[in-house]
Amino acid sequence: MPDLLLELFCEEIPARMQAGAAESLRKLVTDALVERGLVYEGAKAFVTPRRLALAVHGLPAQQPDTHEERKGPRVGAPQGAIDGFLKAAGLTSIEQASIESDPKKGEFYVARLHKHGRPTPDVVAEIVPAVIRAFPWPKSMRWGKGSTSPNALRWVRPLQSILCTFGPETEEPEIVAFEIDGLRSGDTTRGHRFLSEGTIRVRRLEDWMAKLEAAFVVVDRERRKDIILNDAKDLALAQGLELVEDAGLLDEISGLVEWPVVLMGSFDPAFLDVPDEVVRATIRANQKCFVLKDPATGRLANKFVLVSNLAASDGGAAIIAGNERVIRARLSDAKFFWETDKKTNASVSLEDRLAKFGNVTFHEKLGSQLERIRRIAALAKTLAPLVGADPELAEQAALYAKSDLRTEVVGEFPEVQGLMGRYYARLEGLPEEIAAAAEEHYKPQGPTDRVPTAPVSVAVALADKLDTLTGFWAIDEKPTGSKDPYALRRAALGVVRIILENGLRIGLQDALWETRNIQLQKAADARSAELESEFLTQHELAREHLRELDALDEQASNGMSFLEFIFTVKSRDQLPVVEKDKLDRYINTLMDRWWHVENQASWLLAKDALAFFADRLKVHLREAGARHDLVDAVFALPGQDDLLLVVKRVEALGRFLATEDGKNLLAGTKRAANILRIEEKKDGVAYEGGVDVVLLHEPEERALSQAIAALGPQIEQALAREDFEAAMALIAQLRAPVDAFFEKVTVNADDPALRVNRLRLLADIRAATRSIADFERIEG
């Protein structure tokens, strides 16, 4: 079957956009082909810095023919209806339509339409220009003489040629002819910018790949990555060193070169006095080079690996020398920053360093970084006993944790924040727990990042993330859809993972409330000062406050009204003691009311944020293979904010529902719940149990009532022991009496008293299962 080859040749595509562009091209073209009835066998996209390409294998030569029947108006219908039918069906005369008969509708016209499929090249010539014009580049540009027109073609960089061929392997492929903004498709491409000259005529995929390789272009991105990685390892091995692998850097470099040539350079060993991570960050960020390490010491070596885009006549000597010159300058800067920080930290106290954060705004509604650091420290001290950490050490670690953010090294290389905090803490002789917390409190920064395990680090990490989440929740800056500018989903997932992977027993709703309470305590002083200022300087606000306190007409000691009197002074110090006490009393009353309102809002906030954590827990457990509906069912129970217990309950519930007893009991419970929901809506009452044993006439309903009465206390005891397996085993014993009840007993009996009693018995089933989970939320 024929194959399609498409290449879009342009100026250099930014490396960060290449992988997404290749996938977009594959999806857009193949979806359009399938939508038009052209099913293919396989498709692969290619991307280099200067070309975006797609090969589609096993396409038919033309679209399949289509047959369609279109019903028209009845025979004898008005001429207007017939004319509309003819136009819609593409017929020129009503004689071209058939007449069919229906016993109910009578005779009516039917158009039987047969459309021949179009040749595939014609369809492709329609698809590709549309894809090019609508291509979803993150950023694009117009160029040339026509660029002044808003309808001009936009592409990531100027598009120079389009190759598009179609045909079977056994024949000469044809050019799929189309034109877009004066650029005509053809069957030629170009090789490497510097190592190849002129155009290259190609036929199909294999020919295209072979000829481009001969023209110094490796078109397969994965193959370029393999070449770079293997050659870099070989060079390192020859020097007795190991390559420090970097998947992100490898991805980026493979998008910068079409003909990768791997070379090795070196730098002055004196620069190895700088921490390895800073050396690596410098070389990576400035020159896109890999670093090497000495396997004997585990430290970096004074060598680096660079990747050139050409094979130079001097073996790359000039290229290496140029990179060494730039790296020397950048490492000199890094060494200067490192030495400066060491001197500064040795002479400046922690309090002085913290003071620098007072002028740094964390968020306009959440205060400065200094205020945030003090909140985190207070919360870390509160959480410390729950995670087995020393409260004083946790508080000190939290105060220190972000001090490296104002250092020269982190200012230049933000990616080493936290890590440099560990180095500086060790240089200052601080306890290792504080040094570790400085680095680890940011973790985990993603689903695969490790979580902190040292108790002090755990306390600070939890405090940092809970303060962020609660603060942004309080100012209504929650994630919406795909937007999460403050990375709150990542913070919540970090809290979930820290708790679960460390086996921590923390009531999350209480922790959220305590976090907000600390934030409010820090805000209360500011609010109290604000109220005093309003009393002393803002007449209308003072009047409103006194009206709220029913003290508008209260007199001051000199006979004037209190309101008028306080405006005769310019500061609190000028108030007599009596008036000062009175002002304090008013402010304290207003603050009590402020606290009441804020505390009410805090509980609502904690409840809302807990639901957000439940969603993150579902994501985490789903990736581990658990069912999200079981998480919903457990979280629906009151007081379920201990994530470790929630997970244990979910796991036990999942195992139980996988058994035959579990499946049948779920079906019976949902049946009971459905009946109750219908009957409660009909009756306008909620049935809560309280079965009258005298009205239990049938042996099956008596057996069910007795089973629930006997098992209920045992289930409660098992849950109190947190023995969820035992609780599931006990609830499983309800399966047989529930099945027998529904098989033999009619719930909606004619006798109203019997009906109500049986509905109450169903409510007992619901209540018994809800001690485990809300079975109504479970799918199946």
Side-chain angles (χ1 to χ4, degrees):
M1 295 179 77
D3 297 336
L4 170 69
L5 175 63
L6 171 66
E7 182 201 70
L8 305 171
F9 183 84
C10 64
E11 296 295 330
E12 275 72 8
I13 304 168
R16 69 182 184 280
M17 299 184 188
Q18 291 176 18
E23 176 58 22
S24 293
L25 181 65
R26 185 197 66 78
K27 188 174 190 312
L28 289 170
V29 173
T30 55
D31 284 357
L33 289 169
V34 171
E35 185 180 318
R36 291 162 175 79
L38 295 170
V39 181
Y40 60 95
E41 292 178 0
K44 183 174 181 179
F46 301 87
V47 64
T48 78
R50 296 212 299 160
R51 70 201 76 227
L52 190 58
L54 175 68
V56 184
H57 310 290
L59 278 168
Q62 67 176 42
Q63 291 174 306
D65 294 347
T66 59
H67 302 273
E68 180 185 356
E69 280 194 3
R70 187 171 295 182
K71 289 184 179 181
R74 59 181 174 79
V75 175
Q79 188 61 40
I82 292 175
D83 290 343
F85 167 63
L86 293 175
K87 183 177 180 180
L91 304 179
T92 57
S93 169
I94 196 63
E95 281 73 27
Q96 293 176 298
S98 304
I99 297 176
E100 291 192 1
S101 179
D102 184 277
K104 295 181 179 178
K105 298 181 180 179
E107 293 184 331
F108 57 91
Y109 293 109
V110 175
R112 290 185 171 84
L113 308 177
H114 174 74
K115 290 184 180 180
H116 291 286
R118 298 164 61 199
T120 298
D122 292 353
V123 179
V124 173
E126 177 186 273
I127 289 172
V128 174
V131 167
I132 291 174
R133 285 197 177 277
F135 202 82
W137 291 110
K139 290 185 178 180
S140 58
M141 61 180 289
R142 299 194 297 264
W143 64 93
K145 295 179 180 179
S147 62
T148 55
S149 170
N151 297 320
L153 173 65
R154 299 186 68 92
W155 199 246
V156 63
R157 295 290 185 270
L159 189 61
Q160 296 182 340
S161 68
I162 301 173
L163 179 152
C164 193
T165 65
F166 179 79
E169 291 183 6
T170 55
E171 300 175 13
E172 184 75 15
E174 65 174 294
I175 295 173
V176 178
F178 56 86
E179 183 177 325
I180 179 168
D181 271 25
L183 198 61
R184 297 187 61 83
S185 59
D187 61 356
T188 60
T189 185
R190 298 180 190 177
H192 193 280
R193 181 183 287 277
F194 304 113
L195 302 178
S196 174
E197 296 181 356
T199 59
I200 303 167
R201 185 172 180 272
V202 299
R203 302 175 66 212
R204 55 181 57 84
L205 177 63
E206 294 77 10
D207 185 43
W208 175 74
M209 294 181 73
K211 286 181 176 177
L212 280 178
E213 184 124 0
F216 302 97
V217 175
V218 178
V219 296
D220 191 316
R221 179 184 178 87
E222 293 304 316
R223 185 159 170 261
R224 291 199 302 277
K225 288 168 66 173
D226 288 342
I227 291 171
I228 294 168
L229 185 60
N230 292 328
D231 287 359
K233 285 182 176 179
D234 289 345
L235 280 178
L237 186 62
Q239 297 288 325
L241 302 173
E242 288 181 1
L243 179 72
V244 177
E245 295 188 32
D246 187 328
L249 182 59
L250 181 61
D251 267 340
E252 184 176 6
I253 292 176
S254 70
L256 298 174
V257 298
E258 289 194 319
W259 189 254
V261 177
V262 181
L263 306 168
M264 181 179 287
S266 62
F267 55 86
D268 189 337
F271 290 126
L272 294 177
D273 291 341
V274 179
D276 287 358
E277 294 81 5
V278 177
V279 173
R280 181 181 178 186
T282 303
I283 293 175
R284 186 190 196 280
N286 290 287
Q287 289 304 105
K288 312 299 181 192
C289 295
F290 296 95
V291 294
L292 305 173
K293 67 178 180 180
D294 185 343
T297 64
R299 291 288 312 278
L300 290 188
N302 66 319
K303 303 280 186 181
F304 63 90
V305 168
L306 63 101
V307 182
S308 170
N309 190 34
L310 55 84
S313 58
D314 65 353
I319 296 172
I320 293 171
N323 277 269
E324 287 178 342
R325 186 168 56 253
V326 175
I327 285 175
R328 186 186 314 116
R330 298 287 76 80
L331 286 177
S332 295
D333 291 343
K335 187 175 178 65
F336 171 77
F337 295 143
W338 169 242
E339 296 296 339
T340 300
D341 285 341
K342 286 198 294 183
K343 292 176 184 177
T344 302
N345 290 348
S347 60
V348 178
S349 69
L350 176 60
E351 278 302 319
D352 289 338
R353 269 178 277 165
L354 284 176
K356 295 180 181 179
F357 289 99
N359 297 324
V360 180
T361 301
F362 173 63
H363 187 282
E364 61 178 352
K365 296 181 180 179
L366 296 175
S368 68
Q369 278 282 15
L370 177 58
E371 290 171 320
R372 180 168 183 260
I373 289 169
R374 295 201 184 283
R375 292 197 305 264
I376 293 171
L379 182 57
K381 185 176 183 179
T382 301
L383 293 174
L386 300 177
V387 301
D390 177 85
E392 299 301 325
L393 202 56
E395 181 182 32
Q396 188 182 357
L399 288 171
Y400 186 87
K402 298 189 183 294
S403 61
D404 66 337
L405 295 179
R406 299 292 284 170
T407 61
E408 298 288 343
V409 169
V410 174
E412 183 71 14
F413 307 107
E415 63 269 32
V416 296
Q417 68 180 22
L419 179 67
M420 295 311 299
R422 179 192 280 265
Y423 277 108
Y424 296 135
R426 286 174 174 170
L427 286 172
E428 293 177 47
L430 295 175
E432 182 59 28
E433 293 90 341
I434 293 178
E439 178 184 5
E440 295 176 346
H441 81 280
Y442 291 107
K443 296 181 179 295
Q445 293 188 309
T448 58
D449 193 15
R450 67 179 180 85
V451 303
T453 56
V456 171
S457 299
V458 168
V460 180
L462 285 175
D464 183 29
K465 292 166 179 58
L466 288 173
D467 179 80
T468 299
L469 281 158
T470 308
F472 283 110
W473 229 256
I475 62 173
D476 201 27
E477 289 282 3
K478 306 171 188 176
T480 55
S482 61
K483 295 181 179 179
D484 186 10
Y486 303 110
L488 301 185
R489 291 189 181 99
R490 186 176 71 187
L493 188 56
V495 171
V496 168
R497 287 189 58 206
I498 289 171
I499 289 174
L500 296 184
E501 294 180 33
N502 284 288
L504 301 177
R505 299 294 305 275
I506 294 177
L508 199 52
Q509 188 157 342
D510 287 344
L512 289 166
W513 186 87
E514 182 60 32
T515 304
R516 183 58 183 155
N517 189 49
I518 288 172
Q519 292 172 349
L520 291 176
Q521 286 172 359
K522 302 299 181 183
D525 292 341
R527 179 56 184 153
S528 181
E530 189 178 69
L531 282 171
E532 181 173 306
S533 174
E534 290 167 0
F535 269 113
L536 293 171
T537 62
Q538 300 183 53
H539 195 86
E540 289 304 316
L541 278 175
R543 186 184 298 277
E544 288 299 317
H545 293 322
L546 290 171
R547 183 179 290 116
E548 182 183 348
L549 294 164
D550 294 326
L552 186 61
D553 299 323
E554 186 168 338
Q555 289 187 335
S557 56
N558 64 357
M560 297 173 66
S561 75
F562 182 77
L563 178 65
E564 298 301 329
F565 177 72
I566 61 173
F567 278 98
T568 65
V569 299
K570 293 183 179 180
S571 72
R572 176 187 181 86
D573 295 337
Q574 296 176 349
L575 285 172
V577 174
V578 174
E579 318 309 332
K580 196 178 294 184
D581 291 343
K582 191 176 294 184
L583 178 60
D584 287 341
R585 190 169 68 252
Y586 291 160
I587 290 174
N588 289 338
T589 302
L590 289 171
M591 285 302 299
D592 286 343
R593 296 180 183 184
W594 180 85
W595 269 108
H596 177 74
V597 171
E598 292 295 342
N599 279 333
Q600 291 292 105
S602 296
W603 280 115
L604 293 175
L605 180 150
K607 185 177 179 181
D608 187 32
L610 186 62
F612 181 68
F613 275 101
D615 288 338
R616 294 301 93 200
L617 180 63
K618 280 189 282 187
V619 171
H620 178 67
L621 293 180
R622 185 167 61 239
E623 290 174 354
R627 289 167 48 179
H628 68 87
D629 57 325
L630 302 189
V631 181
D632 280 338
V634 172
F635 260 110
L637 303 181
Q640 297 301 312
D641 66 341
D642 185 328
L643 298 187
L644 193 64
L645 281 189
V646 167
V647 170
K648 288 181 178 179
R649 191 184 290 245
V650 167
E651 291 171 347
L653 184 59
R655 288 190 290 271
F656 170 61
L657 292 176
T659 66
E660 202 61 33
D661 282 344
K663 293 173 185 175
N664 285 328
L665 182 60
L666 174 63
T669 302
K670 296 188 86 169
R671 182 177 177 184
N674 288 335
I675 293 171
L676 278 170
R677 185 170 58 253
I678 293 168
E679 300 306 314
E680 286 175 342
K681 183 177 180 181
K682 185 194 302 180
D683 299 345
V685 297
Y687 293 103
E688 298 294 343
V691 172
D692 185 346
V693 294
V694 176
L695 295 175
L696 297 175
H697 292 177
E698 303 295 336
E700 291 79 12
E701 57 185 333
R702 286 196 296 273
L704 176 57
S705 179
Q706 290 165 2
I708 292 173
L711 292 171
Q714 298 178 55
I715 294 171
E716 288 181 10
Q717 291 170 11
L719 293 174
R721 298 193 308 271
E722 299 174 3
D723 188 349
F724 299 114
E725 297 293 346
M728 298 301 166
L730 289 167
I731 203 76
Q733 296 178 36
L734 285 178
R735 178 229 169 147
V738 167
D739 288 349
F741 175 83
F742 281 118
E743 185 177 343
K744 299 291 185 180
V745 179
T746 301
V747 175
N748 286 317
D750 294 333
D751 185 332
L754 280 180
R755 172 180 172 273
V756 168
N757 205 52
R758 288 169 182 174
L759 289 172
R760 287 175 176 165
L761 187 54
L762 295 188
D764 282 343
I765 297 174
R766 181 173 62 185
T769 55
R770 277 186 178 173
S771 63
I772 301 288
D774 187 346
F775 276 49
E776 294 172 64
R777 294 175 181 261
I778 300 174
E779 297 173 1

